[in-house]
Amino acid sequence: MPSPFISPSSVSQPDDLAILHLRRDLLIPTILQTHDDEDLGYEEGKVTNTRFGSFPHSTLLGKPWGSQIVASVVDTGSRGRRRLSKKPGNDTRHLKRKADELDSPGISDEAKPLLKPAIAASSGFIHLLHPTPESWTASLPHRTQVVYTPDYSYILHRLRVRPGSTIIEAGAGSGSFTHAAARAVFDGYPIEQPATKKRCLGRVYSFEFHTQRVEKISKEIEQHRLGGLVEVTHRDVYNDGFLLGNPKTGASPNANAVFLDLPAPWQALKHLVRESPSGPRSPLDPSSPVHICTFSPCLEQAQRTISTLRQQSWLSISMVEVHHKRIEVRREGYGLDSGSLRGGTMFPKSVDEAISKLLVAEDRAKQFREAQIVQKESLEATPDYKTGENEDCDTKSGLPDKFATVSSSQSQVPSVLQGRLVHRTEPELKTHTSYLVFAVLPCSWSEADEQRCRQSWPSGN
Ligand code: SAM
């Protein structure tokens, strides 16, 4: 079966890694199972308990990715009930209470559809997502510092990693970079195929010297069905380099890209050289320039790396620090727009808050409609209205500019009533600030290459 990271099936299946999306900053990875880890034979399968309720995997399987799943209100078995009762927020009686609130006389029929999302929000639901390197990075069990999405996107781009590339990575750590690299090298051909058939050429050769981390990442790679793309080797790369299998006589990965996230990357550089008749076998692709990136939190580490790169003939050396900021732009406050809640991503915290905000919005909309009628009547009374010569008017609505529409989808509500437009940077965006050192090692150029090149020149040049 193909990896859910590379080509997810249309619906969730047993043994798939799924990401339970509770909030944008709260993702839970889980392997979907029809049986519990303890194999006690409960019909609901494994149960994932979250702060938004309990989710037996029987309710998550066979669903299109992206589905909204409401927390279980069924009896999830005595074990499930025991877990439920321990956690606040897992009591499902509140679902009925919230639904009853919708029928209370204080809520107009117009407001009910608007309140439903708020009720659902407080009832406990998640979205079921297939994994991506980005969501895995945001949710993986941390064993080390990890490389975050803003950094690895830039790194893979600068390393020119593309479908079919071969990349060496050390150390593997928690496998955050590994998953992004695996997706980048996948070239669309089947990962597992007999050597005689066309099959995926891209590879990630990942090295790690910490025994437990090697075991964990190897297990994850297998569970995520990335085994044909990623090969993990247990190795101290400072001493033993990057050949596959035997450190002295093993096969070369033939890499054209290298990423080193190590405490002392300069100590590994002696192994990343071109092959010479007297020297050891090279792990690099002899037919291509090799791009390298090292990731170091201290400037002193970056300086030592740069110095060693220079001594070993690497070119185009540069250093970059990625400062990634996401800017959130939204309207503060609520407006009414053909029956939907406006107000960016803000959800009311409670039903009471939602109701009071809706009442304010309804009041504003009513005022606006009345103002519209008054304006229209007074405009119709002006002589140049019908000729369309009044420059201060929005020609479509015939309203003065201060009530001009902002877009066709917002045609009913003027921007002044939609709330104040605000933007702010999001300080909590996760990224581990490090210095990225990039360099290129050109192909080696021998006397024989030079002769061949000269012979191909047109005569007279
Ligand atoms: N890039 C990884 C990620 O995105 O999850 C995190 C790497 S972590 C910061 C650094 C890793 O390098 C650690 O897991 C450590 O065990 C490993 N390491 C340190 N020295 C090493 C060596 N000489 N050979 C191989 N791995 C080494």
Side-chain angles (χ1 to χ4, degrees):
M1 261 206 289
S3 166
F5 279 88
I6 304 285
S7 21
S9 51
S10 53
V11 297
S12 54
Q13 294 174 4
D15 301 325
D16 276 350
L17 171 70
I19 304 289
L20 309 188
H21 181 284
L22 280 75
R23 286 196 321 241
R24 199 179 62 183
D25 58 350
L26 187 54
L27 310 177
I28 298 178
T30 184
I31 302 279
L32 298 177
Q33 285 175 3
T34 48
H35 58 278
D36 192 80
D37 286 340
E38 298 145 40
D39 209 10
L40 298 176
Y42 290 99
E43 276 180 13
E44 77 276 11
K46 187 168 132 187
V47 178
T48 300
N49 289 308
T50 76
R51 67 169 66 167
F52 294 156
S54 277
F55 296 89
H57 286 203
S58 54
T59 65
L60 305 176
L61 283 161
K63 296 283 186 313
W65 296 111
S67 299
Q68 188 188 75
I69 313 283
V70 177
S72 173
V73 288
V74 297
D75 182 354
T76 56
S78 57
R79 179 179 42 87
R81 269 207 307 276
R82 204 169 63 240
R83 282 191 195 155
L84 279 177
S85 60
K86 275 190 199 157
K87 295 202 171 197
N90 280 340
D91 178 0
T92 51
R93 277 171 304 182
H94 75 287
L95 300 184
K96 184 163 182 326
R97 226 172 28 241
K98 299 278 181 210
D100 289 347
E101 280 172 27
L102 258 188
D103 291 330
S104 67
I107 302 177
S108 67
D109 285 346
E110 209 184 2
K112 279 178 190 169
L114 305 177
L115 275 173
K116 274 192 178 157
I119 298 256
S122 63
S123 299
F125 66 83
I126 51 121
H127 284 94
L128 179 71
L129 305 181
H130 70 74
T132 61
E134 291 74 22
S135 60
W136 179 243
T137 295
S139 61
L140 59 77
H142 276 220
R143 304 178 279 269
T144 59
Q145 275 281 15
V146 305
V147 181
Y148 287 100
T149 299
D151 287 305
Y152 64 58
S153 315
Y154 183 71
I155 294 167
L156 289 165
H157 159 72
R158 285 284 305 263
L159 291 181
R160 302 191 184 184
V161 174
R162 50 185 177 258
S165 293
T166 302
I167 180 166
I168 284 176
E169 174 208 25
S174 306
S176 167
F177 183 85
T178 321
H179 284 72
R183 180 182 59 186
V185 302
F186 177 65
D187 63 14
Y189 286 103
I191 297 173
E192 307 289 355
Q193 278 272 36
T196 48
K197 289 206 175 158
K198 186 82 179 148
R199 60 181 184 149
C200 177
L201 295 177
R203 289 286 180 279
V204 180
Y205 292 104
S206 191
F207 294 82
E208 171 61 57
F209 81 162
H210 188 282
T211 312
Q212 282 84 35
R213 285 180 208 147
V214 173
E215 283 166 6
K216 286 255 188 269
I217 192 173
S218 304
K219 189 170 170 211
E220 282 166 359
I221 293 297
E222 192 190 323
Q223 278 182 330
H224 303 168
R225 299 183 210 120
L226 291 169
L229 278 177
V230 180
E231 189 173 321
V232 184
T233 301
H234 187 198
R235 172 79 56 82
D236 172 357
V237 297
Y238 298 157
N239 290 319
D240 293 328
F242 300 94
L243 294 182
L244 305 172
N246 186 303
K248 296 247 170 343
T249 58
S252 168
N254 275 333
N256 40 35
V258 178
F259 176 61
L260 301 181
D261 185 0
L262 296 166
W266 58 92
Q267 290 191 35
L269 291 178
K270 58 180 175 288
H271 302 288
L272 296 167
V273 290
R274 294 292 183 191
E275 206 151 309
S276 66
S278 54
R281 180 171 293 171
S282 168
L284 307 178
D285 179 354
S287 65
S288 127
V290 176
H291 293 257
I292 193 170
C293 172
T294 67
F295 187 89
S296 301
C298 301
L299 205 51
E300 288 73 18
Q301 289 168 305
Q303 281 171 332
R304 289 192 73 167
T305 306
I306 291 168
S307 168
T308 312
L309 284 168
R310 276 199 207 111
Q311 289 164 35
Q312 295 183 3
S313 308
W314 290 80
L315 304 177
S316 301
I317 300 171
S318 63
M319 195 184 77
V320 172
E321 192 183 3
V322 176
H323 275 277
H324 183 104
K325 277 209 186 304
R326 188 148 47 194
I327 297 178
E328 188 199 6
V329 181
R330 63 180 168 83
R331 289 203 184 275
E332 265 184 355
Y334 288 87
L336 281 178
D337 178 24
S338 53
S340 70
L341 273 178
R342 201 196 295 272
T345 53
M346 258 198 313
F347 262 108
K349 289 194 189 72
S350 66
V351 172
D352 289 344
E353 188 186 329
I355 291 171
S356 66
K357 288 200 159 148
L358 284 165
L359 291 176
V360 170
E362 270 182 34
D363 198 40
R364 280 186 185 165
K366 194 167 152 226
Q367 282 175 24
F368 172 64
R369 279 194 294 272
E370 285 166 6
Q372 253 184 331
I373 292 165
V374 172
Q375 289 294 336
K376 199 160 179 239
E377 282 169 0
S378 69
L379 281 166
E380 278 171 358
T382 59
D384 49 4
Y385 170 70
K386 290 204 171 64
T387 60
E389 285 164 9
N390 187 340
E391 287 180 357
D392 289 340
C393 286
D394 170 41
T395 47
K396 211 166 158 203
S397 65
L399 291 172
D401 271 352
K402 66 175 179 161
F403 285 141
T405 51
V406 286
S407 77
S408 58
S409 67
Q410 297 172 345
S411 58
Q412 292 305 306
V413 185
S415 56
V416 287
L417 294 183
Q418 289 168 23
R420 202 159 52 95
L421 190 64
V422 293
H423 60 91
R424 56 175 69 114
T425 55
E426 295 183 0
E428 82 286 6
L429 194 77
K430 276 190 186 163
T431 165
H432 164 42
T433 311
S434 271
Y435 297 105
L436 309 178
V437 174
F438 293 96
V440 185
L441 188 65
C443 298
S444 51
W445 193 249
S446 64
E447 186 54 39
D449 292 324
E450 187 63 27
Q451 289 302 330
R452 250 197 319 277
C453 188
R454 284 207 182 145
Q455 280 161 17
S456 68
W457 288 352
S459 55
N461 283 331

Coordinates of all heavy atoms in Angstrom, one line a residue, residues 164-225:
G164 N 13.5 12.3 -7.5 CA 14.7 11.5 -8.1 C 16.0 11.9 -7.4 O 17.0 11.1 -7.6
S165 N 16.1 12.9 -6.6 CA 17.3 13.3 -5.9 C 17.7 12.3 -4.8 O 16.8 11.5 -4.3 CB 17.2 14.6 -5.2 OG 17.0 15.7 -6.1
T166 N 19.0 12.3 -4.5 CA 19.4 11.4 -3.4 C 20.1 12.3 -2.3 O 21.0 13.1 -2.6 CB 20.5 10.4 -3.9 OG1 19.9 9.6 -4.9 CG2 21.0 9.5 -2.8
I167 N 19.5 12.2 -1.1 CA 20.0 13.1 -0.1 C 20.5 12.3 1.1 O 19.9 11.3 1.5 CB 18.9 14.1 0.3 CG1 19.3 15.1 1.4 CG2 17.6 13.5 0.8 CD1 18.4 16.3 1.7
I168 N 21.6 12.8 1.6 CA 22.2 12.3 2.9 C 21.7 13.2 4.0 O 21.8 14.4 3.9 CB 23.7 12.2 2.9 CG1 24.2 11.1 2.0 CG2 24.3 12.1 4.3 CD1 25.7 11.0 1.8
E169 N 21.2 12.6 5.1 CA 20.8 13.4 6.3 C 21.5 12.8 7.5 O 21.5 11.6 7.8 CB 19.3 13.3 6.4 CG 18.8 14.0 7.7 CD 17.5 13.4 8.2 OE1 17.2 12.2 7.9 OE2 16.8 14.1 8.9
A170 N 22.0 13.7 8.4 CA 22.6 13.3 9.7 C 22.4 14.5 10.6 O 22.7 15.6 10.2 CB 24.0 12.9 9.6
G171 N 22.0 14.3 11.9 CA 21.4 13.1 12.4 C 19.9 13.2 12.2 O 19.2 14.2 12.0
A172 N 19.3 12.0 12.2 CA 17.9 11.8 11.9 C 17.0 12.4 13.0 O 15.9 12.9 12.8 CB 17.5 10.4 11.8
G173 N 17.5 12.4 14.3 CA 16.8 13.0 15.4 C 15.4 12.4 15.6 O 15.1 11.2 15.7
S174 N 14.4 13.3 15.5 CA 13.0 13.0 15.6 C 12.3 12.7 14.3 O 11.1 12.4 14.2 CB 12.2 14.1 16.3 OG 12.8 14.4 17.5
G175 N 13.1 12.8 13.2 CA 12.6 12.5 11.9 C 11.7 13.6 11.2 O 11.0 13.3 10.2
S176 N 11.8 14.8 11.7 CA 10.9 15.8 11.1 C 11.5 16.1 9.7 O 10.7 16.1 8.7 CB 11.0 17.1 12.0 OG 10.5 18.2 11.3
F177 N 12.7 16.4 9.6 CA 13.3 16.7 8.3 C 13.2 15.5 7.3 O 12.9 15.6 6.1 CB 14.8 17.1 8.4 CG 15.4 17.5 7.1 CD1 15.3 18.8 6.6 CD2 16.1 16.6 6.4 CE1 15.9 19.1 5.4 CE2 16.7 16.9 5.2 CZ 16.6 18.2 4.7
T178 N 13.4 14.3 7.9 CA 13.3 13.1 7.1 C 12.1 13.0 6.3 O 12.1 12.6 5.1 CB 13.4 11.8 8.0 OG1 14.4 12.1 9.1 CG2 13.9 10.6 7.3
H179 N 10.9 13.2 6.9 CA 9.6 13.1 6.2 C 9.5 14.1 5.1 O 9.0 13.8 4.0 CB 8.5 13.2 7.2 CG 8.3 12.0 8.1 ND1 9.1 11.6 9.1 CD2 7.3 11.0 8.0 CE1 8.7 10.5 9.6 NE2 7.6 10.1 9.0
A180 N 9.9 15.3 5.4 CA 9.9 16.4 4.3 C 10.8 16.0 3.1 O 10.4 16.1 2.0 CB 10.3 17.7 4.9
A181 N 12.0 15.5 3.5 CA 12.9 15.1 2.4 C 12.3 13.9 1.6 O 12.5 13.9 0.4 CB 14.3 14.7 3.0
A182 N 11.7 13.0 2.3 CA 11.1 11.8 1.6 C 10.1 12.2 0.6 O 10.1 11.8 -0.6 CB 10.5 10.8 2.6
R183 N 9.2 13.2 0.9 CA 8.2 13.6 0.0 C 8.9 14.3 -1.2 O 8.5 14.2 -2.3 CB 7.2 14.6 0.7 CG 6.2 15.1 -0.3 CD 5.2 16.1 0.3 NE 5.9 17.2 0.9 CZ 5.3 18.2 1.6 NH1 4.1 18.1 1.9 NH2 6.0 19.2 2.0
A184 N 10.0 15.1 -0.9 CA 10.6 15.9 -1.9 C 11.3 15.0 -3.0 O 11.3 15.4 -4.2 CB 11.6 16.9 -1.3
V185 N 11.8 13.9 -2.6 CA 12.6 13.0 -3.5 C 11.7 12.1 -4.3 O 12.1 11.5 -5.3 CB 13.7 12.2 -2.9 CG1 14.7 13.2 -2.2 CG2 13.2 11.2 -1.9
F186 N 10.5 11.9 -3.9 CA 9.6 10.9 -4.5 C 9.3 11.4 -5.9 O 8.9 12.5 -6.2 CB 8.3 10.8 -3.7 CG 7.3 9.9 -4.3 CD1 7.5 8.5 -4.4 CD2 6.1 10.4 -4.8 CE1 6.6 7.7 -5.0 CE2 5.1 9.5 -5.4 CZ 5.4 8.1 -5.5
D187 N 9.5 10.5 -6.9 CA 9.4 10.9 -8.3 C 8.2 10.3 -9.0 O 8.0 10.4 -10.2 CB 10.7 10.5 -9.1 CG 10.9 9.0 -9.1 OD1 10.0 8.2 -8.8 OD2 12.0 8.6 -9.5
G188 N 7.2 9.7 -8.2 CA 6.0 9.3 -8.8 C 5.9 7.9 -9.2 O 4.9 7.3 -9.4
Y189 N 7.1 7.2 -9.4 CA 7.1 5.8 -9.7 C 6.9 5.0 -8.4 O 7.2 5.5 -7.3 CB 8.4 5.4 -10.4 CG 8.5 6.0 -11.8 CD1 9.2 7.1 -12.1 CD2 7.7 5.4 -12.8 CE1 9.3 7.6 -13.4 CE2 7.8 5.9 -14.1 CZ 8.5 7.0 -14.4 OH 8.5 7.5 -15.7
P190 N 6.4 3.7 -8.6 CA 6.2 3.0 -7.4 C 7.5 2.8 -6.6 O 8.6 2.7 -7.1 CB 5.7 1.6 -7.9 CG 5.2 1.9 -9.3 CD 6.0 3.0 -9.8
I191 N 7.3 2.8 -5.2 CA 8.5 2.8 -4.4 C 9.0 1.3 -4.4 O 10.2 1.1 -4.5 CB 8.1 3.2 -2.9 CG1 7.7 4.7 -3.0 CG2 9.3 3.0 -2.0 CD1 7.1 5.2 -1.6
E192 N 8.2 0.3 -4.2 CA 8.6 -1.1 -4.2 C 8.3 -1.7 -5.6 O 7.2 -1.8 -6.0 CB 7.8 -1.8 -3.1 CG 7.8 -1.3 -1.7 CD 9.2 -1.4 -1.1 OE1 10.1 -2.0 -1.7 OE2 9.4 -0.8 0.0
Q193 N 9.3 -2.0 -6.3 CA 9.2 -2.7 -7.6 C 10.4 -3.5 -7.8 O 11.5 -3.2 -7.4 CB 9.2 -1.6 -8.7 CG 7.9 -0.9 -9.0 CD 7.0 -1.7 -10.0 OE1 7.0 -2.9 -10.0 NE2 6.3 -1.0 -10.8
P194 N 10.3 -4.6 -8.6 CA 11.5 -5.3 -8.9 C 12.5 -4.4 -9.7 O 12.0 -3.5 -10.4 CB 11.1 -6.5 -9.9 CG 9.6 -6.5 -9.7 CD 9.1 -5.2 -9.2
A195 N 13.8 -4.6 -9.5 CA 14.8 -3.7 -10.1 C 14.7 -3.6 -11.6 O 15.0 -2.6 -12.2 CB 16.2 -4.1 -9.7
T196 N 14.1 -4.6 -12.2 CA 14.0 -4.6 -13.7 C 12.9 -3.6 -14.2 O 12.9 -3.1 -15.3 CB 13.6 -6.0 -14.2 OG1 12.5 -6.4 -13.5 CG2 14.8 -6.9 -14.1
K197 N 11.9 -3.3 -13.3 CA 10.8 -2.4 -13.7 C 11.2 -0.9 -13.3 O 12.0 -0.7 -12.4 CB 9.6 -2.8 -13.0 CG 9.0 -4.1 -13.6 CD 7.5 -4.1 -13.3 CE 6.9 -5.4 -14.0 NZ 5.7 -5.7 -13.4
K198 N 10.5 0.0 -13.9 CA 10.7 1.4 -13.6 C 10.2 1.7 -12.2 O 9.1 1.4 -11.8 CB 9.9 2.3 -14.6 CG 10.1 3.8 -14.5 CD 11.4 4.2 -15.2 CE 11.6 5.7 -15.1 NZ 12.9 6.1 -15.0
R199 N 11.1 2.2 -11.3 CA 10.7 2.4 -10.0 C 11.3 3.7 -9.4 O 12.3 4.2 -10.0 CB 11.0 1.2 -9.1 CG 12.5 0.9 -9.0 CD 12.7 -0.2 -8.1 NE 14.1 -0.5 -8.0 CZ 14.7 -1.0 -6.9 NH1 14.0 -1.3 -5.9 NH2 16.0 -1.2 -6.9
C200 N 10.8 4.2 -8.3 CA 11.2 5.5 -7.8 C 12.7 5.4 -7.5 O 13.3 4.5 -6.9 CB 10.5 5.7 -6.5 SG 11.0 7.2 -5.7
L201 N 13.4 6.5 -8.0 CA 14.9 6.6 -7.8 C 15.2 7.4 -6.6 O 16.3 7.3 -6.1 CB 15.5 7.2 -9.1 CG 15.4 6.3 -10.3 CD1 16.0 7.0 -11.5 CD2 16.1 5.0 -10.1
G202 N 14.4 8.3 -6.2 CA 14.7 9.2 -5.1 C 14.9 8.4 -3.8 O 14.3 7.4 -3.5
R203 N 15.9 8.9 -3.0 CA 16.2 8.2 -1.8 C 16.7 9.2 -0.7 O 17.3 10.2 -1.0 CB 17.4 7.2 -1.9 CG 17.1 6.0 -2.7 CD 16.2 5.0 -1.9 NE 15.9 3.8 -2.8 CZ 15.0 3.7 -3.7 NH1 14.2 4.8 -3.9 NH2 14.8 2.6 -4.4
V204 N 16.4 8.9 0.5 CA 16.9 9.7 1.7 C 17.7 8.7 2.5 O 17.2 7.7 3.0 CB 15.7 10.2 2.6 CG1 16.3 11.0 3.8 CG2 14.8 11.1 1.8
Y205 N 19.0 8.9 2.6 CA 19.9 8.1 3.5 C 20.1 8.9 4.8 O 20.8 9.9 4.8 CB 21.2 7.8 2.7 CG 21.0 6.9 1.5 CD1 21.0 7.4 0.2 CD2 20.7 5.5 1.7 CE1 20.7 6.6 -0.9 CE2 20.4 4.7 0.6 CZ 20.4 5.2 -0.6 OH 20.1 4.4 -1.7
S206 N 19.5 8.3 5.8 CA 19.5 9.0 7.1 C 20.4 8.3 8.1 O 20.3 7.1 8.3 CB 18.0 9.0 7.6 OG 17.8 9.8 8.6
F207 N 21.3 9.1 8.8 CA 22.2 8.5 9.7 C 22.0 9.1 11.1 O 21.7 10.3 11.3 CB 23.7 8.9 9.3 CG 24.1 8.2 8.0 CD1 23.7 8.8 6.8 CD2 24.8 7.0 8.0 CE1 24.0 8.2 5.6 CE2 25.1 6.4 6.8 CZ 24.8 7.0 5.6
E208 N 22.1 8.2 12.1 CA 21.8 8.6 13.5 C 22.7 7.7 14.4 O 22.7 6.5 14.2 CB 20.3 8.5 13.8 CG 19.9 8.7 15.2 CD 20.3 10.0 15.8 OE1 19.8 11.1 15.3 OE2 21.0 10.1 16.9
F209 N 23.3 8.3 15.5 CA 24.1 7.4 16.3 C 23.5 7.0 17.7 O 24.0 6.2 18.4 CB 25.5 8.0 16.5 CG 25.7 9.0 17.6 CD1 27.0 9.3 18.1 CD2 24.6 9.8 18.1 CE1 27.2 10.3 19.0 CE2 24.8 10.8 19.0 CZ 26.1 11.0 19.5
H210 N 22.3 7.6 18.0 CA 21.7 7.3 19.3 C 20.8 6.1 19.1 O 19.8 6.1 18.3 CB 20.9 8.6 19.6 CG 20.3 8.5 21.0 ND1 19.1 7.8 21.3 CD2 20.7 9.1 22.2 CE1 18.9 8.0 22.6 NE2 19.8 8.7 23.1
T211 N 21.0 5.0 19.8 CA 20.4 3.7 19.5 C 18.9 3.8 19.6 O 18.2 3.4 18.7 CB 20.9 2.7 20.5 OG1 22.3 2.8 20.6 CG2 20.5 1.3 20.2
Q212 N 18.3 4.4 20.7 CA 16.9 4.4 20.8 C 16.2 5.3 19.7 O 15.2 4.9 19.2 CB 16.4 5.0 22.2 CG 16.6 4.0 23.3 CD 18.0 4.0 23.9 OE1 18.6 5.0 23.9 NE2 18.4 2.8 24.3
R213 N 16.9 6.4 19.3 CA 16.3 7.2 18.3 C 16.3 6.5 16.9 O 15.4 6.6 16.2 CB 17.1 8.5 18.1 CG 16.8 9.5 19.3 CD 17.5 10.8 19.2 NE 17.7 11.3 20.5 CZ 18.7 12.0 21.0 NH1 19.7 12.3 20.2 NH2 18.8 12.4 22.2
V214 N 17.4 5.7 16.7 CA 17.4 4.9 15.5 C 16.2 3.9 15.5 O 15.5 3.7 14.5 CB 18.7 4.1 15.4 CG1 18.7 3.1 14.2 CG2 19.9 5.0 15.2
E215 N 16.0 3.2 16.6 CA 14.9 2.3 16.7 C 13.6 2.9 16.4 O 12.7 2.4 15.7 CB 14.9 1.6 18.1 CG 16.0 0.5 18.2 CD 16.2 0.1 19.6 OE1 15.4 0.5 20.5 OE2 17.2 -0.6 19.9
K216 N 13.4 4.1 17.1 CA 12.1 4.8 17.0 C 11.8 5.2 15.5 O 10.8 5.0 15.0 CB 12.0 6.0 17.9 CG 11.9 5.7 19.4 CD 10.5 6.0 19.8 CE 10.2 5.9 21.2 NZ 9.9 5.1 22.1
I217 N 12.8 5.9 15.0 CA 12.6 6.4 13.6 C 12.4 5.3 12.6 O 11.6 5.4 11.7 CB 13.6 7.5 13.2 CG1 13.1 8.1 11.9 CG2 15.0 6.9 13.0 CD1 13.9 9.3 11.4
S218 N 13.2 4.2 12.8 CA 13.0 3.0 11.9 C 11.6 2.5 12.0 O 11.0 2.2 10.9 CB 14.0 1.9 12.2 OG 15.3 2.4 12.2
K219 N 11.1 2.4 13.2 CA 9.7 1.9 13.3 C 8.7 2.9 12.7 O 7.8 2.4 12.0 CB 9.4 1.8 14.8 CG 8.1 1.1 15.1 CD 7.9 0.7 16.6 CE 6.5 0.2 16.8 NZ 6.0 0.5 18.1
E220 N 8.9 4.2 12.9 CA 8.0 5.2 12.3 C 8.0 5.1 10.7 O 7.0 5.1 10.1 CB 8.3 6.6 12.7 CG 7.8 6.9 14.1 CD 8.4 8.1 14.7 OE1 9.2 8.8 14.1 OE2 8.1 8.4 15.9
I221 N 9.2 5.0 10.2 CA 9.4 4.9 8.7 C 8.6 3.7 8.2 O 7.9 3.8 7.2 CB 10.8 4.9 8.3 CG1 11.5 6.2 8.7 CG2 11.0 4.6 6.9 CD1 11.0 7.4 8.0
E222 N 8.7 2.6 8.9 CA 8.0 1.4 8.5 C 6.5 1.6 8.6 O 5.7 1.3 7.7 CB 8.4 0.2 9.4 CG 8.0 -1.1 8.9 CD 8.3 -2.2 10.0 OE1 9.3 -2.1 10.7 OE2 7.5 -3.1 10.1
Q223 N 6.0 2.2 9.8 CA 4.6 2.4 10.0 C 4.0 3.4 8.9 O 2.9 3.2 8.5 CB 4.3 3.0 11.4 CG 4.3 2.0 12.5 CD 4.0 2.6 13.8 OE1 4.3 3.8 14.0 NE2 3.4 1.9 14.7
H224 N 4.8 4.3 8.5 CA 4.4 5.3 7.6 C 4.6 4.9 6.1 O 4.4 5.7 5.2 CB 5.1 6.7 7.8 CG 4.9 7.2 9.2 ND1 5.6 8.2 9.8 CD2 4.1 6.8 10.2 CE1 5.2 8.4 11.0 NE2 4.3 7.6 11.3
R225 N 5.0 3.7 5.9 CA 5.2 3.0 4.6 C 6.2 3.9 3.7 O 5.9 4.1 2.6 CB 3.9 2.8 3.9 CG 3.0 1.9 4.7 CD 1.7 1.6 4.0 NE 0.6 1.3 4.9 CZ -0.5 2.0 5.0 NH1 -0.7 3.0 4.2 NH2 -1.4 1.8 5.9

